[in-house]
């Protein structure tokens, strides 16, 4: 739990380093999505601009089910602009 809190406050370059680690790259892409999501939401106003590159560089969509992508990513509140 403490590590998760630390991730929420790290800078973008540190987050990219974490996301590119073998443990995450070879692990569950749902976990990668959750880390990206939580990091952006923790400071949405300043971090939302990083979302497209984080998704492109860090998330392996081909390892996620179509249903997961549609229900958890594309319909996520993070993509709704006000």
């Amino acid at each position: 739990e403490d590590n998760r809190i630390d991730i929420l406050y790290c800078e973008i370059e540190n987050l990219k380093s974490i996301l590119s680690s073998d443990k995450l790259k070879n692990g569950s892409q749902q976990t990668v999505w959750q880390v990206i999501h939580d990091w952006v939401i923790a400071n949405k106003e300043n971090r939302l601009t990083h979302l497209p590159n984080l998704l492109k560089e860090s998330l392996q969509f081909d390892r996620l089910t179509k249903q997961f992508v549609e229900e958890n990513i594309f319909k996520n509140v993070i993509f709704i602009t006000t």
Side-chain angles (χ1 to χ4, degrees), residues 6-21 24 35 39 54 58:
D6 291 343
I7 289 173
L8 297 181
Y9 297 102
C10 71
E11 297 297 322
I12 182 67
E13 293 308 320
N14 292 341
L15 180 67
K16 286 181 179 181
S17 178
I18 291 166
L19 292 172
S20 68
S21 72
L24 273 180
V35 170
W39 183 83
L54 287 172
S58 303

